[in-house]
Amino acid sequence: MDALVQLLRLLLLLLTLPLHLMALLGCWQPLCKRYFPHLMAVLTPKCNRVMDSKKRELFGQIKVPTGASGKVALLEVGCGTGANFKFYPAGCRITCLDPNPNFEKFLTKSMAENRHLEYERFVVAPGEDMKELADSSMDVVVITLVLCSVQSPRRVLQEVYRVLRPGGVFFFWEHVAEPRGSWAFLWQQVLEPTWKHFTDGCCLTRETWKDLESTGFSQLQMERQPPPLKWLPVGPHIMGKAVK
């Protein structure tokens, strides 16, 4: 099966050779960084319609304290266009982090449409290095469909653990690899090198649940969901929460 994967990858590479040459020469990445936020702005409404009930179930677990403060310090890593904002309860003070500065204008628009939230700041940085954020400074951290495209999911999760206060909650929703040995997994292996160029680094074959299980959270709740968009090559989704 490995030989078949390599053969099919080669055929796909030949069919998409100009794209791979642009990436090799460093021409594609800057272009992708500019167009990707616009692509996400188009796809976000459709994705939210499909995942609406599950997102409400997941983020409905965010608890806002009563009393004088009544605020939750929430960090969203890989915030993108702000697709999750509408699902957060009132009383959340949002810090957004994303390595792509081109998302900021979309975030501003999303915040204007979600006045029940308080917008703290936008930090341009990779999830692997959140040095601008202090230890134990966040009540809640959210990551959705981001760990597929970072350089090191394990390092990102270590940073999430660091910035969460003791007892803080990490909410996640990620797509993961199909079962090894399946035909679906074979096609993910074939498509991945080309797919990554169109999707700002998204990997199709990551087994992210393994990184979650090894991070050291005191509690981890996770459930598996079928892929919400059947026409994409992404595999099953995992969603849940972890407590520091």
Side-chain angles (χ1 to χ4, degrees):
M1 188 167 282
D2 287 345
L4 180 58
V5 168
Q6 294 304 321
L7 175 61
L8 292 171
R9 273 186 175 179
L10 178 59
L11 291 174
L12 184 58
L13 186 149
L14 292 173
L15 289 172
T16 57
L17 188 58
L19 170 63
H20 291 278
L21 286 174
M22 288 178 66
L24 186 64
L25 295 170
C27 305
W28 178 255
Q29 188 67 7
L31 180 63
C32 182
K33 290 293 184 186
R34 289 197 297 271
Y35 92 76
F36 192 65
H38 295 275
L39 174 64
M40 293 307 296
V42 172
L43 291 178
T44 289
K46 178 177 178 58
C47 291
N48 271 348
R49 284 195 297 272
V50 173
M51 300 188 292
D52 183 276
S53 63
K54 281 297 181 181
K55 280 196 173 185
R56 293 189 187 281
E57 175 187 331
L58 183 63
F59 298 129
Q61 300 174 70
I62 297 175
K63 304 301 181 186
V64 179
T66 57
S69 62
K71 299 290 183 183
V72 170
L74 187 153
L75 167 67
E76 183 166 350
V77 179
C79 51
T81 61
N84 294 324
F85 290 172
K86 63 182 283 189
F87 301 102
Y88 296 151
C92 289
R93 190 173 69 250
I94 313 293
T95 297
C96 299
L97 183 140
D98 201 288
N100 189 344
N102 296 302
F103 276 116
E104 186 166 17
K105 65 179 181 181
F106 297 97
L107 286 172
T108 302
K109 180 176 182 293
S110 292
M111 272 297 169
E113 295 170 351
N114 291 278
R115 296 291 188 182
H116 65 291
L117 304 175
E118 182 181 330
Y119 189 24
E120 186 77 6
R121 59 173 171 154
F122 176 50
V123 179
V124 179
E128 294 90 342
D129 185 11
M130 297 191 278
K131 59 179 177 289
E132 290 191 43
L133 304 176
D135 294 1
S136 304
S137 58
M138 295 292 161
D139 301 308
V140 171
V141 177
V142 173
I143 294 183
T144 60
L145 303 179
V146 169
L147 294 176
C148 58
S149 59
V150 300
Q151 291 295 317
S152 172
R154 180 164 297 186
R155 178 60 184 155
V156 173
L157 291 172
Q158 289 171 347
E159 282 287 87
V160 168
Y161 191 88
R162 178 184 65 80
V163 302
L164 270 176
R165 64 167 176 77
V169 185
F170 169 48
F171 293 92
F172 59 89
W173 182 316
E174 295 292 328
H175 69 80
V176 296
E178 295 281 3
R180 287 178 177 266
S182 67
W183 282 104
F185 183 69
L186 180 146
W187 282 110
Q188 285 185 324
Q189 291 177 287
V190 171
L191 293 171
E192 187 170 82
T194 301
W195 173 262
K196 288 166 69 174
H197 291 315
F198 287 107
T199 55
D200 201 17
C202 172
C203 297
L204 297 169
T205 59
R206 286 188 172 164
E207 297 172 325
T208 308
W209 66 88
K210 295 180 179 179
D211 295 314
L212 284 161
E213 290 168 349
S214 65
T215 299
F217 291 104
S218 64
Q219 300 174 40
L220 176 62
Q221 298 176 19
M222 180 165 46
E223 64 178 81
R224 204 173 180 91
Q225 299 286 335
L229 301 177
K230 305 292 185 183
W231 46 274
L232 291 177
V234 298
H237 286 51
I238 55 173
M239 60 174 283
K241 64 179 183 179
V243 179
K244 180 175 177 178

